Amino acid sequence: REEKRIRHPKKWVSMARDVRGYCEQNEPSYKDFFQSRYDMCEEWRDACKRLGISKDTYYAMRADVLRMGELYAVYRGAVAPMDCRI
């Protein structure tokens, strides 16, 4: 099994904290999504049912959160801008 190491773990923790904070303060629906996906580790079907959203909405929100994470990762210096798909 190949072992991978995270470079700059403190920057990644800061990035995750930034994304969570943004979701909690600015996007109420994303706050619930974030908790469902990353805190509770719910399957998408269960999350959709609990949140009252469609599969398409779930995956659109997931993509938004991942893009937000990439932006914060660049901001924190965890990744180079050219390594992002943004």
Side-chain angles (χ1 to χ4, degrees):
R1 210 180 218 195
E2 186 179 330
E3 187 175 307
K4 294 186 179 191
R5 295 189 63 189
I6 296 175
R7 285 192 257 165
H8 315 294
K10 290 180 183 177
K11 292 178 182 179
W12 284 102
V13 169
S14 294
M15 178 273 306
R17 204 174 298 131
D18 290 341
V19 172
R20 174 188 295 279
Y22 180 85
C23 290
E24 289 177 354
Q25 291 176 3
N26 301 303
E27 302 287 343
S29 60
Y30 281 75
K31 175 186 175 187
D32 296 336
F33 169 83
F34 193 95
Q35 289 174 340
S36 171
R37 170 100 176 141
Y38 299 104
D39 295 340
M40 299 166 58
C41 301
E42 276 187 315
E43 293 291 324
W44 70 266
R45 286 183 182 91
D46 298 329
C48 288
K49 189 182 297 182
R50 191 173 63 75
L51 299 173
I53 59 174
S54 69
K55 178 182 177 182
D56 290 341
T57 299
Y58 177 91
Y59 280 101
M61 292 174 87
R62 178 179 172 265
D64 288 346
V65 169
L66 292 175
R67 273 192 298 277
M68 202 179 316
E70 286 182 331
L71 289 171
Y72 277 114
V74 169
Y75 173 74
R76 292 287 181 184
V79 296
M82 63 197 129
D83 293 336
C84 288
R85 295 170 286 151
I86 302 169

